[in-house]
Structure formats: structure tokens, C-alpha cells
Amino acid sequence: AKIDSDIFTSLYLIGQIGGSSINMEAGDMSETADMGIYLGFGAGTIIKDCVIVELVLSSSNGSLSIDGTKGDLNYTATTINVGYKFAL
């Protein structure tokens, strides 16, 4: 969305979906991991046509079985991404 400001040139929403995988080593134990779903959403802005700032909340889930004991795994993160946009 275009906004009327001398500093912020645009605002946008972010949506992400995908598969999540689990990589781990548990020594001599027998482990299996099932893939889950990755979801993320957030918002971003461009400042002065060159600096990108985004805030994203993401969540991954899956399941893990170690030596026959199964459990669910959930991981959430909040990230702040900052970048610089330039023309090549």
C-alpha cells in the first residue's frame, strides 16, 4: 500500500507457508522425525526508498519419536529483518 509520508514509502503484509523438517542427532538412540507445517505472518515497511524493516512471527511443528516414545514439537520465533535495497 502506498502511503503519504516523507519517510515511509510503503507498507506491506507478509504471509508464508511451507513444510518444516527436523534435523537432530541423538547419539545411539533410535529416532524418527515427522515433517510438520511452517506458518509465518508479519508486516514490513520501506523507509526512504532504501531501508527495509520487517517483523515476522513464525511457527513450525512436527513430531519426534525417540526409542519408541513419541512427542510433539513446536517452535515459534519472532524475527526483525532489516535490509538495504539498491539498484544493480
Side-chain angles (χ1 to χ4, degrees):
K2 197 75 168 164
I3 59 175
D4 187 21
S5 172
D6 292 336
I7 297 173
F8 300 101
T9 55
S10 66
L11 296 172
Y12 54 91
L13 297 176
I14 300 167
Q16 302 168 334
I17 188 169
S20 61
S21 63
I22 302 160
N23 297 315
M24 68 172 290
E25 294 181 22
D28 294 335
M29 293 185 278
S30 170
E31 75 269 352
T32 58
D34 293 328
M35 197 166 150
I37 295 177
Y38 167 85
L39 297 171
F41 65 92
T45 186
I46 301 174
I47 302 170
K48 293 282 190 182
D49 286 327
C50 61
V51 177
I52 299 167
V53 180
E54 298 174 337
L55 178 66
V56 179
L57 174 64
S58 60
S59 175
S60 297
N61 64 32
S63 63
L64 180 67
S65 177
I66 298 177
D67 289 336
T69 303
K70 189 170 184 175
D72 292 330
L73 297 174
N74 295 303
Y75 174 78
T76 59
T78 302
T79 57
I80 297 173
N81 304 319
V82 178
Y84 186 81
K85 183 173 96 170
F86 54 93
L88 295 178

